[in-house]
Amino acid sequence: MQKALKPAEATIDYAHFRFHDGYKLTDSVLYIALVLRPGWLAPKLVPLTHEKALASLLKDGPSLLTTSQLGLLRARTQTVTNTGQLAQGEALYRTIWQPLDSLLKGVKQVWVSPSGLLHKVAFAALPLSGKVPGFLADRYSVRVVGSTRIVATSASRTAKSPRTALLIGGAYYGVDSAKPAAEAWPALPGTQQEVNTIAALWGASATVVTGQRATKTQLQQALATTSPDVLHLATHSFFRALTEQRTDFIRPASDPVLLRSGVVMARANVPGTDSLNPDNGILSGLELANLNLTNTELVVLSGCETGLGDIRGSEGVFGLQRAVKMAGAKNLLMSLWPVPDEPTSQFMIAFYRNWKIPNTTLAQAFANTQRAFRQRYPPAVWAAFVLVE
């Protein structure tokens, strides 16, 4: 890894563990960071915080949605309407990043491998603390990875240009009134235009599945014989935590976490489509993990909260993110919180256009798209999307 790092690059491996007081295992969970740069004899360890303190900084949700918006206000107008929430966002920056700043002088690109609760943080949108306004993205190019060992592989530098694509969007979920309002999935008309526009960039090498054909069975059959370069799912997605007791569209909350996360397909609102129906309109995380994505360069989950899941030990985020990796896909583009239909479509279309530019890598295309959207939208939009390599 160190040999592969360029002079202006560094890796940050976050880790968390239960603290041992002598021979006694305590209830305290500590967070640390390991920083590695070219030329160092060894990584440098930086103690950060206790999990309880970190959890309190994330108590308003995992997305930093509000603090990011306030950070934008500070960056553009120098005015803040809710200093308490802005201070909370800055406190998170001071807790998980500022202790590392002295080790990152001269660094332009940082490879970050989150751990535990840090999987919930949109690092690029961390509001900087102090007199200089802005976000972490103003200071560094942050690349989120499942493991920093990817730095030592060629895949970290040049993800192959996409050739084939399977695009699913504009699914017909059934009549919304067929189920109670709390359980019905609303139509997403923007996703139809989204996949059609993206398909136009590919031409004949793109397969588009929409409307009533966008079923779970159709997807499973399509992937039974081929693994496309890109799998794009423009639809609803969900994750139900253990504390949420809902029995529509998924099995009881006591089931494994991969059964409590999923992607919504056609027929999801049709009466009688329960979890035992083979084409019930819900592609669970477990079913997603069993798809054939071994040759897929990128999976795009263009939906709400696709990156969320249970935090368990050192195993990262269990949910759709883990399911995609288990299926064999190399990279995942997902969201950390709900984003309106229209800006989501615009982001995805712009991303693919950037990726189709000759000699543009996957990471460069994502960074260029996010940079452009930072000039047009608040962090609630551009920071929601995360590329996990």
Side-chain angles (χ1 to χ4, degrees):
M1 285 170 48
Q2 190 181 52
K3 290 180 180 178
L5 284 173
K6 296 180 180 180
E9 295 180 342
T11 65
I12 299 176
D13 275 284
Y14 288 100
H16 68 292
F17 56 91
R18 291 181 66 184
F19 177 65
H20 285 71
D21 184 7
Y23 294 99
K24 180 183 178 182
L25 182 63
T26 71
D27 292 332
S28 296
V29 177
L30 304 182
Y31 278 73
I32 63 171
L34 291 163
V35 182
L36 180 65
R37 294 189 61 178
W40 288 2
L41 294 178
K44 297 186 178 180
L45 186 151
V46 181
L48 296 176
T49 187
H50 289 260
E51 186 168 72
K52 290 182 179 180
L54 181 59
S56 68
L57 293 176
L58 294 170
K59 64 183 178 180
D60 291 332
S63 65
L64 282 183
L65 179 61
T66 306
T67 53
S68 297
Q69 290 174 319
L70 290 170
L72 182 71
L73 289 173
R74 183 180 68 169
R76 291 188 174 179
T77 67
Q78 300 297 318
T79 61
V80 176
T81 57
N82 190 324
T83 56
Q85 289 178 322
L86 177 59
Q88 184 176 344
E90 291 178 338
L92 182 60
Y93 164 79
R94 290 194 300 269
T95 300
I96 67 174
W97 196 276
Q98 194 171 54
L100 315 177
D101 274 341
S102 62
L103 302 176
L104 299 175
K105 292 182 179 179
V107 170
K108 300 298 182 181
Q109 179 167 284
V110 185
W111 309 73
V112 176
S113 177
S115 180
L117 294 178
L118 297 180
H119 281 282
K120 297 182 175 183
V121 174
F123 283 88
L126 281 174
L128 300 177
S129 177
K131 297 181 180 179
V132 181
F135 307 100
L136 198 65
D138 296 322
R139 187 175 296 175
Y140 304 101
S141 172
V142 181
R143 295 180 65 169
V144 179
V145 294
S147 170
T148 53
R149 64 185 178 185
I150 193 176
V151 176
T153 69
S154 60
S156 66
R157 306 294 179 179
T158 55
K160 67 179 182 181
S161 299
R163 295 184 300 275
T164 60
L166 176 58
L167 310 167
I168 296 180
Y172 176 71
Y173 304 123
V175 181
D176 292 351
S177 60
K179 287 187 175 183
E183 301 178 8
W185 297 100
L188 295 175
T191 60
Q192 175 86 51
Q193 180 181 356
E194 177 181 329
V195 295
N196 287 339
T197 303
I198 295 170
L201 299 175
W202 261 271
S205 62
T207 300
V208 180
V209 181
T210 62
Q212 297 187 42
R213 295 178 58 246
T215 63
K216 176 171 67 175
T217 299
Q218 183 78 11
L219 173 62
Q220 291 169 327
Q221 291 176 348
L223 294 176
T225 57
T226 183
S227 177
D229 292 334
V230 173
L231 173 61
H232 185 102
L233 299 174
T235 181
H236 294 290
S237 59
F238 64 87
F239 171 76
R240 301 302 174 207
L242 282 170
T243 55
E244 297 184 58
Q245 298 293 332
R246 291 185 60 175
T247 56
D248 57 322
F249 63 80
I250 55 172
R251 297 181 181 182
S254 59
D255 272 8
V257 67
L258 289 181
L259 288 175
R260 292 186 284 106
S261 57
V263 178
V264 182
M265 309 295 290
R267 296 179 52 82
N269 287 338
V270 176
T273 53
D274 57 35
S275 60
L276 299 179
N277 189 314
D279 205 358
N280 56 17
I282 298 297
L283 179 74
S284 71
L286 183 61
E287 291 169 320
L288 177 57
N290 287 320
L291 296 178
N292 173 26
L293 301 176
T294 52
N295 294 317
T296 298
E297 192 69 38
L298 175 68
V299 171
V300 177
L301 297 178
S302 181
C304 297
E305 301 178 341
T306 49
L308 299 187
D310 278 357
I311 307 296
R312 293 192 177 182
S314 60
E315 295 301 317
V317 175
F318 282 79
L320 297 182
Q321 180 181 162
R322 176 53 58 92
V324 168
K325 291 296 184 179
M326 290 172 63
K330 298 177 180 62
N331 302 282
L332 170 64
L333 178 54
M334 61 186 185
S335 64
L336 291 179
W337 59 79
V339 181
D341 193 10
E342 183 178 353
T344 295
S345 295
Q346 292 177 2
F347 186 95
M348 294 301 170
I349 293 168
F351 162 71
Y352 283 113
R353 283 175 175 161
N354 284 331
W355 196 13
K356 296 292 285 188
I357 296 175
N359 301 319
T360 301
T361 67
L362 172 62
Q364 289 170 342
F366 177 76
N368 293 341
T369 305
Q370 197 173 58
R371 188 178 304 111
F373 269 62
R374 284 171 57 198
Q375 306 303 317
R376 299 165 51 193
Y377 292 98
V381 174
W382 62 260
F385 303 103
V386 178
L387 176 65
V388 180
E389 303 176 63

